[in-house]
Amino acid sequence: MIQTQTFSHTNTNVKRYVLTNKNGVCAKITNYGAILTSLKIPLKSGDRDIVLGFDSLEDYQSKAYLKDYPYFGAIIGRFANRINLGKVTIDAKEIQLSTNHGKHLLHGGHSGFDKRVWDAEIIGESKLQLSLDSEDGDQNFPGNMKINIIYELNDENELAIYYSATCDKTSPINLTSHSYFNFTGGKENILNHQLQIDSDKILENNSELIPTGNYIEVNNTAFDFRDLKQIKQNIAQVENYDNCYVLKTEGKNLMKVAELYEESSNIRMEISTDFPGLQLYTGKFINVEGNKKFGPFSGVALETQAFPDAPNQPNFSDGFIHPGEIYEQQTRYQFHF
């Protein structure tokens, strides 16, 4: 079942769509930024919201939120994560993209897909489609790109996100969902959550979190999450995880790649995807002024995506979409409670 609600005091084009399955799992999505604003799990103690988000458009546009902008729950594009110096080369021509993270591009530039109003259409009892046209020159990306996102909440307690896009010129592309999870509902931070990631390698970064093109084996390091362990177990060595894990999805349509578990709530989430990478961000720098609920480590982001700076790294899949191609990816989050 899907219901439509008002989400803004002033903008009538912005709505919130409430997807509820037969078990009482409830996902709320707004067509502003295609944001997953809420995901409630029905526990014996009551419904628990397990993602970070707000109840109105005005909260997402407030100065307090945008000052240290954490991208709560948004669909990110055209290119998630970082592009070094905001520069790419296409057909021997260097293109300077929008730079919004020091001298680099982060999450699509100054005005990415996370700040756009999408067209919304309910296409079934459990499916919401969100569509966006990104015009040629948007954040200086080339080509007219058409993007479709479908959220589906099924009765197996699985929230699926289907990504698709086309473009009439060669353009960088890397779409992701930037949801932060906290299975305590904000009563505690996420450091006691247990995490498992099926990955033997992470991308090596420089000091500005730009990939060098090399890989690091996780064996005998703080980055090893091949077995379920508490996030806090090795965090003193790294201070904060903000790393792209190399998944084993190549040549596979869909596979389980990660699991998140919290003991006191007994909530377990399994992530399946066909993306090649998973960005783990433990949220040390979350800071919404005046809101104690949204501070350091208040949520963990597990962003399935292509590799950051892929257009500039010959060792990575190229990170481009070409005319005539259809970009298609999917990620599924299944909940057990």
Side-chain angles (χ1 to χ4, degrees), residues 6 88 114-116 127 193 230 236 274:
T6 300
V88 296
D114 52 288
K115 294 177 180 174
R116 299 280 295 273
K127 290 184 179 180
H193 284 53
Q230 286 187 310
D274 54 5

Side-chain angles (χ1 to χ4, degrees), residues 218 220-224 229 231-241:
V218 301
N220 294 322
T221 74
F223 301 100
D224 190 350
K229 72 175 184 182
I231 291 172
K232 69 180 181 183
Q233 181 171 319
N234 301 112
I235 204 163
Q237 300 174 46
V238 299
E239 296 186 9
N240 177 54
Y241 290 97

